[in-house]
Amino acid sequence: ESGITAIVGPNGCGKSNVADSIRFVMGESSAKSMRGSSMQDVIFNGTQNRKPQSYCEVSLYFNNKEKIFPDLDFEEVVLTRKLYKSGESEYLINKSNVRLKDVQEHFMDTGVGRDGYSIIGQGKIDEILHDRNSFW
């Protein structure tokens, strides 16, 4: 049923990583918003036992049986973003290459987006409530 989904857990369990991943796949380009100094910081840099990767990838799956994306004729919509060390991003919807602009257009009326208040990270509620330019 519709409602609110919340991610709760102790410090360090990855709650912020989930929210960051959603913002990332939706097109976030601010390294500061992703808790890094450059966007390449989200790419695995390796360890003593594992080699570094040349890109990172996030896929977000949506149930589209009720046509939340009326212009996409799929029962499941998979949005994917790949970010390469070169800084170039690749966006895919159901494994087909699309532009970031296409992603933004498909999600425009869904309430989901990198800038939407549907994804609220730690410390953002106070900022929203005290923003002089907000709708309060």
XYZ file of all heavy atoms in Angstrom, residues 16-97:
658
model
N 22.609 6.120 5.160
C 22.932 7.233 4.270
C 23.388 6.738 2.898
O 23.145 7.394 1.887
C 24.018 8.118 4.884
O 23.544 8.731 6.050
N 24.036 5.583 2.861
C 24.480 5.026 1.581
C 23.288 4.713 0.675
O 23.356 4.886 -0.538
C 25.318 3.768 1.797
C 26.634 4.061 2.468
O 27.078 5.196 2.537
N 27.262 3.026 3.001
N 22.192 4.244 1.273
C 20.994 3.935 0.489
C 20.430 5.231 -0.108
O 20.147 5.307 -1.302
C 19.934 3.202 1.344
C 18.635 3.040 0.574
C 20.463 1.853 1.796
N 20.282 6.260 0.731
C 19.762 7.542 0.243
C 20.690 8.145 -0.804
O 20.235 8.662 -1.834
C 19.556 8.508 1.408
N 21.998 8.071 -0.575
C 22.972 8.592 -1.553
C 22.870 7.838 -2.873
O 22.982 8.430 -3.946
C 24.400 8.478 -1.014
C 24.713 9.471 0.089
O 23.901 10.401 0.308
O 25.769 9.311 0.734
N 22.664 6.531 -2.811
C 22.541 5.729 -4.037
C 21.332 6.147 -4.856
O 21.397 6.221 -6.085
C 22.434 4.242 -3.694
O 23.604 3.796 -3.085
N 20.227 6.438 -4.175
C 19.030 6.877 -4.892
C 19.277 8.238 -5.546
O 18.961 8.443 -6.714
C 17.810 6.914 -3.946
C 17.471 5.484 -3.490
C 16.612 7.569 -4.627
C 16.464 5.416 -2.363
N 19.881 9.165 -4.795
C 20.201 10.478 -5.382
C 21.167 10.323 -6.558
O 21.028 10.979 -7.585
C 20.793 11.405 -4.324
C 19.746 12.068 -3.455
C 20.332 13.243 -2.692
N 21.336 12.819 -1.732
C 21.072 12.389 -0.493
N 19.837 12.343 -0.077
N 22.043 12.028 0.303
N 22.144 9.433 -6.412
C 23.137 9.208 -7.461
C 22.477 8.737 -8.752
O 22.704 9.288 -9.819
C 24.176 8.176 -6.980
C 25.139 7.742 -8.037
C 26.231 8.520 -8.358
C 24.962 6.542 -8.723
C 27.128 8.118 -9.350
C 25.846 6.127 -9.696
C 26.933 6.923 -10.004
N 21.650 7.687 -8.662
C 21.034 7.111 -9.855
C 20.076 8.114 -10.507
O 19.852 8.077 -11.719
C 20.358 5.759 -9.550
C 19.039 5.938 -8.833
C 20.176 4.924 -10.812
N 19.542 9.050 -9.708
C 18.633 10.068 -10.241
C 19.384 11.238 -10.866
O 18.773 12.158 -11.373
C 17.710 10.584 -9.131
C 16.806 9.526 -8.519
S 15.676 8.769 -9.673
C 14.717 10.174 -10.182
N 20.723 11.220 -10.813
C 21.502 12.237 -11.520
C 22.262 13.216 -10.665
O 22.757 14.228 -11.172
N 22.395 12.962 -9.390
C 23.148 13.875 -8.518
C 24.549 14.067 -9.064
O 25.220 13.112 -9.439
C 23.224 13.310 -7.094
C 23.981 14.203 -6.118
C 23.344 15.572 -5.953
O 22.223 15.637 -5.422
O 23.974 16.575 -6.368
N 24.991 15.326 -9.128
C 26.326 15.615 -9.649
C 27.183 16.374 -8.652
O 28.339 16.673 -8.938
C 26.226 16.403 -10.961
O 25.550 17.625 -10.730
N 26.643 16.673 -7.486
C 27.390 17.388 -6.459
C 28.146 16.397 -5.585
O 27.536 15.581 -4.889
C 26.433 18.225 -5.601
O 27.096 18.665 -4.427
N 29.472 16.483 -5.621
C 30.288 15.596 -4.794
C 30.012 15.849 -3.316
O 29.992 14.915 -2.513
C 31.768 15.810 -5.097
N 29.770 17.092 -2.956
C 29.484 17.432 -1.560
C 28.217 16.714 -1.085
O 28.174 16.195 0.033
C 29.327 18.946 -1.414
C 29.126 19.404 -0.003
C 29.023 20.919 0.062
C 28.713 21.364 1.486
N 28.456 22.792 1.562
N 27.183 16.675 -1.928
C 25.946 15.975 -1.575
C 26.173 14.479 -1.420
O 25.436 13.804 -0.712
C 24.871 16.199 -2.639
O 24.467 17.531 -2.656
N 27.192 13.970 -2.087
C 27.509 12.544 -2.018
C 28.602 12.263 -0.968
O 29.173 11.181 -0.946
C 27.975 12.042 -3.390
C 26.954 12.219 -4.498
S 25.446 11.300 -4.245
C 26.046 9.649 -4.369
N 28.885 13.242 -0.135
C 29.860 13.119 0.944
C 31.271 12.811 0.440
O 31.985 11.979 0.977
C 29.411 12.084 1.979
C 28.093 12.435 2.626
C 27.612 11.404 3.607
N 27.175 10.201 2.908
C 27.311 8.975 3.373
N 27.873 8.766 4.529
N 26.882 7.943 2.682
N 31.660 13.490 -0.644
C 32.992 13.304 -1.198
C 33.556 14.622 -1.673
O 32.882 15.657 -1.672
N 34.810 14.604 -2.101
C 35.410 15.823 -2.640
C 35.322 15.850 -4.165
O 35.407 16.896 -4.776
C 36.863 15.964 -2.186
O 37.611 14.824 -2.561
N 35.143 14.675 -4.783
C 34.876 14.603 -6.224
C 33.936 13.428 -6.453
O 33.859 12.509 -5.636
C 36.167 14.422 -7.026
O 36.630 13.091 -6.957
N 33.231 13.449 -7.562
C 32.278 12.373 -7.830
C 32.985 11.024 -7.967
O 32.411 9.990 -7.682
C 31.453 12.674 -9.079
C 30.365 13.712 -8.849
S 29.197 13.253 -7.549
C 28.306 11.930 -8.346
N 34.250 11.021 -8.349
C 34.989 9.765 -8.482
C 35.212 9.095 -7.126
O 35.565 7.916 -7.062
C 36.321 9.995 -9.196
C 36.179 10.208 -10.688
C 35.576 11.554 -11.062
O 35.579 12.503 -10.288
N 35.045 11.653 -12.272
N 34.974 9.817 -6.020
C 35.110 9.221 -4.686
C 34.106 8.095 -4.447
O 34.299 7.280 -3.548
C 34.940 10.284 -3.592
C 36.133 11.227 -3.498
O 37.198 10.901 -4.056
O 35.989 12.292 -2.860
N 33.026 8.044 -5.238
C 32.039 6.978 -5.050
C 32.471 5.678 -5.736
O 31.845 4.645 -5.542
C 30.617 7.390 -5.527
C 30.133 8.611 -4.774
C 30.567 7.610 -7.021
N 33.538 5.720 -6.508
C 34.057 4.528 -7.185
C 35.018 3.802 -6.241
O 35.894 4.420 -5.640
C 34.765 4.902 -8.509
C 33.783 5.621 -9.438
C 35.355 3.666 -9.182
C 34.415 6.207 -10.679
N 34.844 2.485 -6.115
C 35.663 1.680 -5.209
C 37.140 1.831 -5.556
O 37.565 1.587 -6.685
C 35.229 0.213 -5.286
C 35.972 -0.689 -4.357
C 35.823 -0.564 -2.984
C 36.804 -1.675 -4.857
C 36.503 -1.408 -2.119
C 37.475 -2.516 -4.007
C 37.331 -2.386 -2.634
N 37.940 2.231 -4.556
C 39.350 2.537 -4.765
C 40.275 1.362 -4.478
O 41.481 1.490 -4.577
C 39.726 3.746 -3.900
C 40.859 4.541 -4.492
O 41.122 4.465 -5.687
N 41.542 5.296 -3.659
N 39.723 0.243 -4.092
C 40.536 -0.948 -3.859
C 40.985 -1.102 -2.416
O 40.895 -0.173 -1.618
N 41.458 -2.300 -2.110
C 42.035 -2.630 -0.795
C 43.263 -3.495 -1.055
O 43.616 -3.759 -2.210
C 41.034 -3.417 0.088
O 40.804 -4.706 -0.507
C 39.721 -2.673 0.265
N 43.858 -3.973 0.003
C 44.999 -4.876 -0.165
C 44.585 -6.158 -0.879
O 45.386 -6.765 -1.589
C 45.602 -5.222 1.194
C 46.350 -4.093 1.834
C 46.957 -4.504 3.175
O 46.637 -5.555 3.723
N 47.826 -3.643 3.695
N 43.347 -6.580 -0.670
C 42.891 -7.856 -1.228
C 42.033 -7.721 -2.479
O 41.758 -8.727 -3.132
C 42.091 -8.626 -0.168
C 42.928 -8.941 1.045
O 44.119 -9.187 0.942
N 42.306 -8.903 2.207
N 41.569 -6.509 -2.790
C 40.689 -6.327 -3.958
C 41.182 -5.160 -4.790
O 41.534 -4.107 -4.252
C 39.252 -6.074 -3.508
C 38.651 -7.297 -2.812
C 37.227 -7.093 -2.398
N 36.387 -6.877 -3.578
C 35.168 -6.372 -3.519
N 34.642 -6.008 -2.367
N 34.451 -6.225 -4.620
N 41.180 -5.332 -6.104
C 41.676 -4.288 -6.994
C 40.636 -3.156 -7.131
O 39.436 -3.380 -6.968
C 42.021 -4.869 -8.363
C 40.836 -5.423 -9.124
C 41.278 -5.961 -10.480
C 40.035 -6.386 -11.271
N 40.306 -6.663 -12.637
N 41.093 -1.939 -7.440
C 40.162 -0.821 -7.646
C 39.310 -1.047 -8.896
O 39.687 -1.799 -9.793
C 41.070 0.398 -7.821
C 42.438 -0.115 -8.015
C 42.484 -1.547 -7.598
N 38.158 -0.410 -8.922
C 37.258 -0.528 -10.059
C 37.366 0.718 -10.949
O 37.762 1.782 -10.484
C 35.823 -0.704 -9.579
C 35.613 -1.949 -8.737
C 35.884 -3.218 -9.529
O 35.317 -3.432 -10.599
N 36.766 -4.054 -9.015
N 36.989 0.592 -12.202
C 37.064 1.722 -13.133
C 35.737 2.468 -13.231
O 35.665 3.519 -13.851
C 37.485 1.235 -14.516
O 36.553 0.284 -15.005
N 34.683 1.920 -12.622
C 33.386 2.591 -12.620
C 32.555 2.078 -11.450
O 32.874 1.072 -10.827
C 32.635 2.362 -13.934
C 32.099 0.970 -14.135
C 30.800 0.655 -13.780
C 32.905 -0.042 -14.662
C 30.296 -0.624 -13.952
C 32.415 -1.329 -14.838
C 31.117 -1.608 -14.477
O 30.628 -2.878 -14.640
N 31.487 2.831 -11.154
C 30.498 2.337 -10.188
C 29.150 2.323 -10.898
O 28.953 2.995 -11.915
C 30.452 3.203 -8.928
S 29.872 4.869 -9.191
N 28.232 1.554 -10.353
C 26.929 1.376 -10.999
C 25.859 1.185 -9.939
O 26.070 0.458 -8.969
C 26.986 0.158 -11.908
C 25.704 -0.184 -12.595
C 25.839 -1.383 -13.527
O 26.978 -1.742 -13.904
O 24.799 -1.964 -13.877
N 24.731 1.869 -10.127
C 23.571 1.705 -9.252
C 22.359 1.476 -10.134
O 22.182 2.158 -11.149
C 23.342 2.952 -8.366
C 22.026 2.858 -7.605
C 24.503 3.163 -7.414
N 21.524 0.507 -9.763
C 20.252 0.265 -10.453
C 19.126 0.357 -9.439
O 19.232 -0.161 -8.334
C 20.223 -1.116 -11.119
O 21.139 -1.179 -12.187
N 18.065 1.019 -9.840
C 16.888 1.194 -8.999
C 15.710 0.572 -9.736
O 15.448 0.901 -10.889
C 16.669 2.691 -8.770
C 15.710 3.167 -7.707
C 16.048 2.585 -6.348
C 15.748 4.693 -7.641
N 15.011 -0.340 -9.061
C 13.911 -1.092 -9.675
C 12.576 -0.521 -9.199
O 12.382 -0.297 -8.004
C 13.988 -2.570 -9.278
C 15.145 -3.295 -9.907
C 16.457 -3.051 -9.502
C 14.928 -4.222 -10.911
C 17.510 -3.724 -10.079
C 15.988 -4.900 -11.499
C 17.279 -4.645 -11.077
O 18.336 -5.305 -11.651
N 11.654 -0.306 -10.145
C 10.317 0.209 -9.837
C 9.263 -0.745 -10.377
O 9.355 -1.193 -11.521
C 10.087 1.581 -10.493
C 10.946 2.667 -9.932
C 12.187 2.939 -10.495
C 10.523 3.421 -8.853
C 12.982 3.947 -9.988
C 11.313 4.427 -8.336
C 12.550 4.687 -8.908
N 8.259 -1.017 -9.579
C 7.094 -1.763 -10.026
C 6.215 -0.779 -10.797
O 5.727 0.195 -10.237
C 6.345 -2.335 -8.820
C 5.127 -3.127 -9.220
O 4.568 -2.955 -10.302
N 4.693 -3.987 -8.332
N 6.001 -1.037 -12.066
C 5.238 -0.122 -12.916
C 3.892 -0.728 -13.332
O 3.296 -0.314 -14.317
C 6.063 0.254 -14.154
C 5.519 1.455 -14.886
O 5.012 2.384 -14.279
N 5.608 1.430 -16.198
N 3.407 -1.717 -12.579
C 2.126 -2.348 -12.929
C 0.967 -1.361 -12.876
O 0.011 -1.492 -13.626
C 1.842 -3.536 -12.008
C 2.740 -4.715 -12.281
C 2.432 -5.877 -11.363
C 3.399 -7.017 -11.665
N 3.225 -8.149 -10.759
N 1.062 -0.367 -11.997
C 0.009 0.645 -11.901
C 0.326 1.881 -12.727
O -0.290 2.928 -12.566
C -0.228 1.010 -10.440
C -0.789 -0.154 -9.650
C -1.074 0.211 -8.212
O -1.150 1.411 -7.883
O -1.228 -0.717 -7.401
N 1.311 1.770 -13.606
C 1.688 2.817 -14.561
C 2.060 4.138 -13.881
O 1.570 5.206 -14.250
C 0.580 3.039 -15.599
C 0.341 1.830 -16.476
C 1.566 1.555 -17.311
C 1.385 0.357 -18.209
N 2.647 -0.117 -18.736
N 2.971 4.065 -12.892
C 3.480 5.316 -12.336
C 4.318 6.056 -13.377
O 4.499 7.253 -13.285
C 4.276 5.112 -11.025
C 5.479 4.197 -11.234
C 3.391 4.631 -9.907
C 6.419 4.127 -10.048
N 4.798 5.313 -14.365
C 5.461 5.877 -15.541
C 4.591 5.547 -16.749
O 4.834 4.557 -17.442
C 6.861 5.285 -15.730
C 7.734 5.408 -14.525
C 7.989 4.312 -13.717
C 8.302 6.623 -14.174
C 8.784 4.412 -12.600
C 9.099 6.744 -13.060
C 9.345 5.632 -12.265
N 3.557 6.348 -17.010
C 2.590 5.995 -18.053
C 3.191 5.893 -19.450
O 2.680 5.151 -20.290
C 1.551 7.104 -17.981
C 2.132 8.180 -17.155
C 3.240 7.600 -16.342
N 4.293 6.602 -19.692
C 4.896 6.574 -21.025
C 5.896 5.425 -21.200
O 6.461 5.262 -22.276
C 5.548 7.919 -21.335
C 6.533 8.369 -20.267
O 6.411 7.923 -19.106
O 7.422 9.184 -20.583
N 6.115 4.627 -20.152
C 7.001 3.463 -20.250
C 6.148 2.204 -20.179
O 5.524 1.924 -19.160
C 8.039 3.478 -19.122
C 9.017 4.649 -19.142
C 9.903 4.620 -17.905
C 9.858 4.640 -20.409
N 6.124 1.454 -21.261
C 5.249 0.292 -21.362
C 5.951 -0.976 -20.853
O 6.180 -1.927 -21.600
C 4.794 0.118 -22.814
C 3.624 -0.841 -22.932
O 2.869 -0.981 -21.948
O 3.481 -1.459 -24.005
N 6.322 -0.949 -19.565
C 6.966 -2.082 -18.914
C 6.315 -2.262 -17.547
O 5.954 -1.281 -16.899
C 8.462 -1.832 -18.688
C 9.231 -1.523 -19.939
C 9.532 -0.214 -20.286
C 9.661 -2.549 -20.769
C 10.261 0.071 -21.427
C 10.397 -2.270 -21.912
C 10.689 -0.958 -22.245
N 6.200 -3.513 -17.088
C 5.679 -3.756 -15.743
C 6.732 -3.458 -14.684
O 6.413 -3.186 -13.540
C 5.180 -5.190 -15.597
C 3.865 -5.418 -16.287
C 3.211 -6.724 -15.864
O 3.767 -7.453 -15.018
O 2.121 -6.995 -16.394
N 8.003 -3.526 -15.065
C 9.102 -3.181 -14.174
C 10.013 -2.209 -14.905
O 10.380 -2.440 -16.055
C 9.891 -4.432 -13.765
C 11.039 -4.142 -12.833
C 11.756 -5.402 -12.401
O 12.492 -5.981 -13.224
O 11.574 -5.799 -11.241
N 10.351 -1.121 -14.244
C 11.251 -0.123 -14.816
C 12.535 -0.139 -13.999
O 12.504 -0.024 -12.771
C 10.620 1.289 -14.793
C 11.625 2.344 -15.236
C 9.381 1.322 -15.689
N 13.657 -0.313 -14.698
C 14.957 -0.348 -14.040
C 15.766 0.853 -14.533
O 16.069 0.970 -15.721
C 15.726 -1.647 -14.349
C 17.061 -1.661 -13.608
C 14.897 -2.864 -13.989
N 16.073 1.742 -13.594
C 16.899 2.910 -13.888
C 18.308 2.616 -13.417
O 18.506 2.211 -12.266
C 16.342 4.141 -13.171
C 17.207 5.394 -13.209
C 17.400 5.874 -14.647
C 16.583 6.490 -12.362
N 19.287 2.783 -14.299
C 20.686 2.499 -13.978
C 21.550 3.692 -14.331
O 21.328 4.354 -15.343
C 21.193 1.272 -14.766
O 20.365 0.140 -14.451
C 22.633 0.944 -14.443
N 22.525 3.965 -13.472
C 23.553 4.961 -13.777
C 24.909 4.333 -13.550
O 25.139 3.662 -12.545
C 23.418 6.194 -12.887
C 24.510 7.233 -13.160
C 24.406 8.419 -12.235
N 25.437 9.410 -12.515
C 25.630 10.484 -11.772
N 24.860 10.715 -10.716
N 26.574 11.344 -12.077
N 25.799 4.555 -14.501
C 27.192 4.150 -14.369
C 28.027 5.421 -14.399
O 27.808 6.294 -15.240
C 27.628 3.258 -15.536
C 26.979 1.900 -15.556
C 27.506 1.077 -16.719
C 26.842 -0.276 -16.786
N 27.373 -1.088 -17.889
N 28.985 5.530 -13.480
C 29.921 6.652 -13.451
C 31.317 6.089 -13.631
O 31.734 5.191 -12.888
C 29.824 7.415 -12.127
C 30.864 8.518 -11.922
C 30.606 9.686 -12.879
C 30.863 9.003 -10.481
N 32.022 6.591 -14.637
C 33.366 6.121 -14.954
C 34.403 7.051 -14.339
O 34.114 8.217 -14.047
C 33.544 6.044 -16.472
C 32.605 5.050 -17.110
C 31.355 5.447 -17.579
C 32.951 3.706 -17.216
C 30.478 4.532 -18.143
C 32.074 2.789 -17.779
C 30.851 3.212 -18.240
O 29.981 2.302 -18.792
N 35.616 6.539 -14.140
C 36.709 7.348 -13.570
C 36.962 8.608 -14.382
O 37.415 9.609 -13.849
C 37.990 6.528 -13.449
C 37.928 5.552 -12.311
C 39.214 5.509 -11.558
C 39.058 4.482 -10.461
N 39.699 4.853 -9.262
N 36.630 8.592 -15.662
C 36.813 9.763 -16.519
C 35.852 10.889 -16.135
O 36.025 12.021 -16.568
C 36.565 9.383 -17.977
O 35.193 9.012 -18.160
N 34.826 10.561 -15.329
C 33.820 11.547 -14.943
C 32.562 11.457 -15.784
O 31.564 12.110 -15.497
N 32.601 10.631 -16.806
C 31.450 10.471 -17.701
C 30.418 9.545 -17.071
O 30.754 8.542 -16.463
C 31.939 9.873 -19.017
C 30.928 9.872 -20.117
C 31.548 9.396 -21.427
O 32.737 9.646 -21.660
O 30.814 8.755 -22.194
N 29.140 9.914 -17.213
C 28.045 9.085 -16.711
C 27.263 8.500 -17.864
O 27.149 9.106 -18.926
C 27.084 9.918 -15.849
O 27.588 10.108 -14.566
N 26.722 7.322 -17.624
C 25.855 6.646 -18.578
C 24.557 6.322 -17.844
O 24.583 5.795 -16.737
C 26.541 5.365 -19.047
C 25.790 4.566 -20.056
C 26.575 3.329 -20.485
O 27.561 2.945 -19.828
O 26.162 2.733 -21.491
N 23.425 6.672 -18.457
C 22.113 6.404 -17.873
C 21.387 5.402 -18.750
O 21.447 5.478 -19.976
C 21.282 7.681 -17.770
C 21.875 8.696 -16.818
C 22.778 9.648 -17.264
C 21.545 8.674 -15.470
C 23.335 10.565 -16.394
C 22.094 9.588 -14.590
C 22.990 10.532 -15.054
O 23.535 11.438 -14.189
N 20.690 4.456 -18.098
C 19.932 3.451 -18.837
C 18.559 3.273 -18.196
O 18.434 3.321 -16.970
C 20.658 2.107 -18.818
C 22.065 2.099 -19.402
C 23.078 2.079 -18.284
C 22.249 0.909 -20.284
N 17.550 3.089 -19.022
C 16.237 2.669 -18.556
C 15.959 1.343 -19.229
O 15.971 1.248 -20.459
C 15.139 3.704 -18.872
C 15.385 4.984 -18.061
C 13.756 3.128 -18.568
C 14.376 6.089 -18.301
N 15.789 0.302 -18.424
C 15.619 -1.071 -18.908
C 16.676 -1.434 -19.948
O 16.374 -1.941 -21.025
C 14.206 -1.293 -19.437
C 13.182 -1.310 -18.319
O 13.465 -0.924 -17.198
N 11.988 -1.751 -18.618
N 17.919 -1.122 -19.600
C 19.112 -1.458 -20.383
C 19.254 -0.693 -21.690
O 20.120 -1.001 -22.501
C 19.209 -2.970 -20.631
C 19.314 -3.766 -19.348
C 19.474 -5.240 -19.620
C 19.537 -6.000 -18.300
N 19.710 -7.424 -18.494
N 18.415 0.315 -21.909
C 18.541 1.171 -23.100
C 19.140 2.505 -22.687
O 18.683 3.118 -21.712
C 17.174 1.425 -23.745
O 16.633 0.228 -24.239
N 20.155 2.958 -23.427
C 20.790 4.228 -23.116
C 19.808 5.381 -23.267
O 19.049 5.437 -24.237
C 21.985 4.480 -24.049
C 23.202 3.691 -23.641
O 23.586 3.699 -22.478
N 23.800 3.004 -24.593
